[in-house]
Each structure stands twice: as structure tokens, then as C-alpha cells.
Amino acid sequence: MNVQTSASPAATPLDGGGLTDASTLVRGISPVLGVPFTDTGDVDFEGFGRVVDHVLGTGVTSVMFPGFASEYYKLTEDERRELTGILLRRTAHRRDLAAIVAVQDHTTRMAVARAREVVAAGADLINLLAPHFLSPSRRSQIEHVTTVLDAVAPTPVVLQYAPNETGTSLDAATIAALVRTHPNLRLIKVESNPPGRLIGELAALDPPVTSLEGYAGVQLPDAWRRGAVGSQPGCSFTEIYVEIWRRLTSGDEAGGEDLHRRLLPYISYWMLDTELIIAAEKQISFRRGLIDSAHCRGPAHLLDAEELRRIEVFLQEFADLLPDLSGRGPANETEI
């Protein structure tokens, strides 16, 4: 990595993006931004800017990049840095919106370097994924997390707990201990399956630990009832998630449950495999006119005829919430 600061990790506390406490903006729906590619597999940087602009226009107060939904593991360092810059240039002067930039490096040294670089570039929060390659010990995972937390303090950090994708295992007591010793650890993104019990245990601690739900919002209503302050799904149909959250939090719990119940058959199938939901979301974004190609860099999931048909059914069912963005008419008029 080409780190742009030479200060030692502990020497210069960084204040992410100029916000007093950006973590208070991470509420409701906080989409993970997808990366569009051209049909030949190049990053579509202009298209990514359109994705950012569209998502910021849906009424959210935070976004995250890059995550699994961004295919971060298929990006070069230069691509990742340029994409991050596109996002941060759009959020740099927005005090009503927080940019969460993710750090997934397995090596602690590299994770510290990346975290400090993106905070210096204007990230308001860090999303930190603990190392998982070759099953590191719990002690080494905790040491990794605490080192990064110390390196970027007082910048707020979201700790991503994704056992299905990474095989890591943390419990409420371990997380509580981290929060007590590191005040900048502000939120936990819980992606265990189901997440509700851990979210409830964290909310019941003294002091309570604030949680986000991930995993495409499969358990969103239950997570909200147990104390989650938001959800981090993908971004191809952000409007549906925003409406579910609006209903749940405005006194229309039954309406939120009903809309989520309609969405659940689709997202529960797509979330059976990470590459499957990436491909499905790319296809939805393409069909809506948000991006110019549904290409996923290989190895990727190739949607079969039935999966493509179900995406068309999805677009028809939720046409009232998902406006066509291409200017060519309703998304459901185009044949597969």
C-alpha cells in the first residue's frame, strides 16, 4: 500500500471526516455500495459515481464501501483507492451523511496502514473485519482489532462480525471487553445467522453495545425488535429496505413486517451463497438502469434461466418502490 502518512500508529489521533460523532449517523439503512464493471471486466468508475449518487439520494444517512457486496476481494489496490476517492469526494462536505470505509486486510500492519490512509482521506468511520485466513486464534484476532482501534482513535469503528463468511467466533463478553477499553468501537455489525440473540445480548449489556444487522436484511424485523439501530444490505434495491425501516420505526410494525415478508423469499434464496446475491444484485441494478453491465469478475456465480426469471418477477412485484433509472421505461418491459 502507498500510505500517505508517515506518523507512527499511536502518534497522531485522526478525527474521521470532521464530524463530531459520525457514528450517530449510522442509523436505519446503511447500504454497501456495489462496484460496476464493463462487459470486459474493467471497473466502470463513472458508473460507480452514478451508484453513489443514486444511493445517497434515497434518504440514507450512511453508506459503506467496500464490502463483500462490492467484490472488494476482486479489486486491485489502485482500483480500490480510486473508487474510495470517488465516494469520499461526494461525502467530504456532507455533515448529514457518514462514509464508512472498510478495512479487511489480514495482516495487522497492512490493516493499520489502510485504516490510517482512508481516515486521512476523509472516511468518517472504519468498518473493520477481523482476520480469518487460515483460522487465526481468537487472541490474535483480538490483538489485530485492538491495534487498529488504537491506530485510528478517536475515529469511530464498526466491527464486522461475519462468522458464515469468515469462520470467526466472538461472543458478547469479548465484544463488551473491547468496547470498554476502546471508546471508538461504536458499533458491531452482526452477521451471525440468526443475528437476533447476539444483538439482544449486546443491547442488554451495561453500557449497551449498539448493533447493526447485515446479511442482506434477512432477519431485519427481528434484529430491530432486539435493539439493532440499522441494517447494512446491498444497494441495488435500497428503496425497499428504506421503506421497511420507515414503517417499522414509525409505528407501522405490521406494515414493515408485511413488506419484509414479501421480500424474504428473494433475499433468503440469494443469500444462500455470497456470489449468488452479488450476481443477483448486479442484475437488478442493470435491469433498473443504475449500471451499464451486470458483469461480475470471475470466479462468479452465473445466474441460470430460472434465477433470471425470478429477478424479473421481483422487479414487477416491487415496481412501485423501484423506479426505472434508465429513461427507457419500466424495468419489467425488457425481456431477458
Side-chain angles (χ1 to χ4, degrees):
M1 288 182 60
N2 180 24
V3 183
Q4 298 173 4
T5 177
S6 59
S8 63
T12 308
L14 300 169
D15 188 9
L19 294 177
T20 302
D21 187 357
S23 64
T24 61
L25 292 172
V26 186
R27 298 293 186 271
I29 303 305
S30 178
V32 181
L33 300 171
V35 176
F37 301 108
T38 67
D39 287 338
T40 57
D42 295 323
V43 172
D44 181 359
F45 294 105
E46 182 179 346
F48 181 71
R50 293 197 303 272
V51 170
V52 176
D53 290 339
H54 167 71
V55 174
L56 297 187
T58 63
V60 301
T61 57
S62 67
V63 294
M64 197 268 269
F65 176 81
F68 286 103
S70 317
E71 298 171 85
Y72 78 85
Y73 45 93
K74 299 178 183 179
L75 300 172
T76 68
E77 287 294 330
D78 287 343
E79 289 169 343
R80 180 169 175 155
R81 183 174 289 110
E82 185 168 350
L83 289 163
T84 302
I86 290 170
L87 168 63
L88 295 180
R89 284 192 292 275
R90 283 163 164 79
T91 61
H93 305 293
R94 294 281 303 271
R95 300 189 65 82
D96 61 335
L97 193 138
I100 310 166
V101 178
V103 172
Q104 300 104 343
D105 300 86
H106 180 79
T107 303
T108 306
R109 179 187 178 91
M110 293 173 63
V112 166
R114 187 187 304 279
R116 290 179 62 81
E117 179 180 2
V118 297
V119 169
D124 299 305
L125 297 94
I126 293 297
N127 182 95
L128 179 60
L129 185 68
H132 55 89
F133 183 64
L134 297 179
S135 303
S137 67
R138 177 178 290 198
R139 177 179 177 179
S140 62
Q141 291 177 41
I142 293 171
E143 288 175 349
H144 178 100
V145 170
T146 57
T147 301
V148 177
L149 285 166
D150 289 337
V152 299
T155 299
V157 173
V158 182
L159 177 61
Q160 182 175 2
Y161 176 49
N164 290 347
E165 287 79 11
T166 65
T168 54
S169 178
L170 298 173
D171 55 24
T174 301
I175 293 170
L178 287 169
V179 170
R180 283 194 297 270
T181 55
H182 294 81
N184 61 322
L185 178 52
R186 300 292 176 79
L187 299 114
I188 311 298
K189 181 179 180 180
V190 180
E191 296 191 287
S192 51
N193 195 11
R197 183 163 184 168
L198 179 56
I199 289 171
E201 290 174 354
L202 293 172
L205 293 172
D206 185 17
V209 177
T210 306
S211 298
L212 295 169
E213 182 247 12
Y215 211 71
V218 170
Q219 299 289 336
L220 198 161
D222 181 62
W224 168 71
R225 284 191 296 267
R226 293 174 182 263
V229 299
S231 180
Q232 279 191 328
C235 72
S236 67
F237 45 96
T238 299
E239 297 94 327
I240 299 176
Y241 290 109
V242 168
E243 178 61 15
I244 292 171
W245 191 264
R246 186 195 69 78
R247 294 183 187 185
L248 290 174
T249 57
S250 65
D252 185 15
E253 183 175 352
E257 287 271 13
D258 179 65
L259 184 54
H260 184 266
R261 192 177 301 112
R262 290 170 51 199
L263 179 64
L264 190 57
Y266 302 99
I267 57 176
S268 61
Y269 175 77
W270 295 332
M271 273 307 295
L272 290 173
D273 180 78
T274 301
E275 291 286 357
L276 168 57
I277 194 166
I278 290 171
E281 292 230 25
K282 278 283 183 71
Q283 185 68 23
I284 291 167
S285 291
F286 171 67
R287 292 286 294 104
R288 295 187 62 196
L290 181 56
I291 60 178
D292 294 333
S293 171
H295 183 87
C296 299
R297 283 179 171 173
H301 179 93
L302 298 178
L303 298 167
D304 64 20
E306 177 59 20
E307 289 166 340
L308 288 168
R309 189 188 72 82
R310 288 295 293 169
I311 287 173
E312 295 303 310
V313 173
F314 168 85
L315 289 169
Q316 292 175 30
E317 179 170 353
F318 295 102
D320 59 326
L321 290 171
L322 300 177
D324 173 62
L325 304 169
S326 67
R328 60 173 180 256
N332 58 22
E333 288 184 357
T334 305
E335 298 295 332
I336 299 173

